[in-house]
Amino acid sequence: MKDTLRALTQIDRMIHEPARLMIMMILHGVGEADFLYLQREGGFTQGNLSSHLAKLEEAAYVEIEKKYKGKLPLTVCRLTPKGRDAFASYSRSLLQTLKKNSPY
Amino acid sequence: MTDYKATQTYTPGRRAAAFWFSDGLVEIVFGLLIVSWAAWGILAGSLWMPRWVLWGTWLLLYGFFYSCLMGYPKIIDFLKSRITYPRAGYAQPPAEPLPDQDLLHDMFGRIPPDPLITLRTARSPGENISKFRVHTLVLIFVAHVIGIIGHAWPDTHILAILMPGFALLLFLLNCREAHPYPWHSVIPVALAGLLPIFVKFFSAIAMVFPMLVFGLWMLLRGLWILMRFLNLHRKIRTLEHGRA
């Protein structure tokens, strides 16, 4: 039990933050999404979302691209392969730990 | 009363797929297409024209509709970029298929593509509605074909059985999908099947009756959803909400 609990100290703290976790979860379920969609789905403020996306981009988990849909400019975000692997690993690790240690 | 509509919109991927239908544009485009097809059927059945003219115009129309079916992602994307994305944002469901593929989807996916209704299970980015095509459009097409066959035996009132049956199928096949139809929304389609019992339709209308009903239903439903969407998302962003 000590080992499985200690595994929590190795958890990816870049993802293990509520707002960033929400962003990763939303992006994991879509091919790509724009800033406005992320903001509405996660209930973020503009500044909050920008700040977290910047951190995720710095960690190379998310890539951000400015493009056009017709004449509409969009800031489109998507998970990188590294981001997908990191999220999968984080999910597995957390679920495993919770499974072994949760009373429910 | 419990509304047995789908409640599977809780995963982000499923929500993104449901989001694709939240503006009603898909139904408006396909509703218009189906109604146009039915309208042409009525016109062709009502007017006398030389056989070569009739077949020629059918071929042209066939080509036009096929182009629309092939080009609809671009048409819908064009409309969404002007109506949906500025108001509610943009999300694209992932390219891989949703995990709960059912037997019907697999069966139709294996049939060689028909030029009229494309049965290919395209899952390219931006497609998003492959199950809509299989579970809704193909169903409408099958109803239309059976309606034409049943037209040969008008006294059997086959539409009185067909339409409620297809309405029920429409509800059941889609109730677990990203785009479910509430049970009450398919009732008009079911009831429309009873009309031919009481009203003698002109032969040209009787032949395309199922397609006309489904097309009108889809178009009106799409317009209703669009109205609700515009009411919910009134503000259009004028500045690009980018990174700080």
Side-chain angles (χ1 to χ4, degrees):
Chain A
M1 180 152 165
K2 220 198 275 183
D3 289 339
T4 54
L5 280 177
R6 280 191 182 160
L8 284 172
T9 61
Q10 305 302 314
I11 211 157
D12 189 336
R13 287 166 198 270
M14 181 55 62
I15 301 175
H16 193 68
E17 194 284 332
R20 289 197 291 272
L21 178 57
M22 278 168 67
I23 293 168
M24 294 293 284
M25 282 182 76
I26 294 167
L27 288 178
H28 189 261
V30 299
E32 58 184 22
D34 83 326
F35 193 93
L36 179 58
Y37 182 83
L38 285 173
Q39 197 178 344
R40 282 194 323 106
E41 281 292 287
F44 303 113
T45 62
Q46 202 175 328
N48 199 16
L49 180 59
S50 292
S51 153
H52 288 297
L53 277 174
K55 286 182 181 149
L56 288 169
E57 194 185 18
E58 206 181 299
Y61 286 175
V62 164
E63 61 183 354
I64 297 173
E65 181 193 346
K66 285 193 186 285
K67 66 181 192 183
Y68 284 86
K69 278 275 179 187
K71 289 182 182 172
L72 182 73
L74 292 177
T75 302
V76 169
C77 310
R78 65 180 77 86
L79 288 184
T80 60
K82 182 182 175 188
R84 286 195 182 272
D85 290 343
F87 185 68
S89 171
Y90 168 86
S91 305
R92 265 195 307 269
S93 163
L94 191 62
L95 284 169
Q96 222 168 20
T97 308
L98 286 172
K99 207 173 171 180
K100 286 179 182 168
N101 296 288
S102 172
Y104 303 107
Chain B
M1 189 181 291
T2 309
D3 187 354
Y4 290 103
K5 60 182 178 185
T7 54
Q8 306 237 347
T9 55
Y10 43 79
T11 61
R14 186 73 76 165
R15 284 180 62 79
F19 177 66
W20 186 255
F21 295 97
S22 64
D23 49 21
L25 291 173
V26 172
E27 279 151 311
I28 290 171
V29 167
F30 280 105
L32 274 172
L33 206 63
I34 294 167
V35 166
S36 305
W37 183 272
W40 171 249
I42 294 168
L43 199 64
S46 313
L47 304 171
W48 182 88
M49 54 185 83
R51 196 173 283 274
W52 67 269
V53 171
L54 186 66
W55 284 109
T57 48
W58 271 115
L59 275 172
L60 275 173
L61 200 68
Y62 196 82
F64 170 71
F65 282 129
Y66 186 67
S67 308
C68 288
L69 282 172
M70 292 301 103
Y72 75 83
K74 289 209 166 105
I75 297 170
I76 289 171
D77 208 37
F78 170 82
L79 292 170
K80 280 181 178 286
S81 68
R82 276 149 181 79
I83 297 169
T84 314
Y85 302 153
R87 288 178 168 83
Y90 159 71
Q92 182 195 85
E96 56 272 16
L98 297 172
D100 53 340
Q101 278 206 347
D102 57 23
L103 181 63
L104 183 64
H105 193 238
D106 284 341
M107 282 168 61
F108 277 94
R110 285 197 209 106
I111 295 173
D114 180 275
L116 178 60
I117 298 287
T118 304
L119 298 176
R120 63 186 171 88
T121 54
R123 299 186 186 94
S124 56
E127 173 63 28
N128 301 330
I129 60 171
S130 55
K131 285 211 173 184
F132 167 76
R133 288 197 304 183
V134 174
H135 290 175
T136 301
L137 296 182
V138 170
L139 201 66
I140 292 171
F141 182 67
V142 170
H144 170 60
V145 168
I146 294 178
I148 291 176
I149 295 168
H151 179 65
W153 298 281
D155 294 333
T156 58
H157 296 301
I158 195 168
L159 287 180
I161 303 162
L162 177 74
M163 299 297 284
F166 275 101
L168 182 64
L169 264 179
L170 200 62
F171 168 72
L172 289 173
L173 285 176
N174 291 285
C175 69
R176 288 181 173 277
E177 299 306 327
H179 185 53
Y181 300 111
W183 65 270
H184 48 81
S185 77
V186 298
I187 286 177
V189 171
L191 291 176
L194 301 176
L195 265 178
I197 298 175
F198 305 106
V199 178
K200 285 290 171 210
F201 286 112
F202 181 40
S203 172
I205 297 177
M207 250 179 60
V208 299
F209 185 75
M211 197 160 243
L212 190 63
V213 168
F214 275 112
L216 280 172
W217 168 78
M218 193 176 283
L219 178 60
L220 291 171
R221 199 181 134 72
L223 287 168
W224 171 251
I225 294 170
L226 178 64
M227 210 171 69
R228 268 187 2 201
F229 175 84
L230 291 174
N231 203 35
L232 193 63
H233 301 284
R234 283 184 189 175
K235 191 177 170 185
I236 301 175
R237 59 177 168 178
T238 49
L239 297 172
E240 164 64 336
H241 294 283
R243 275 190 306 131

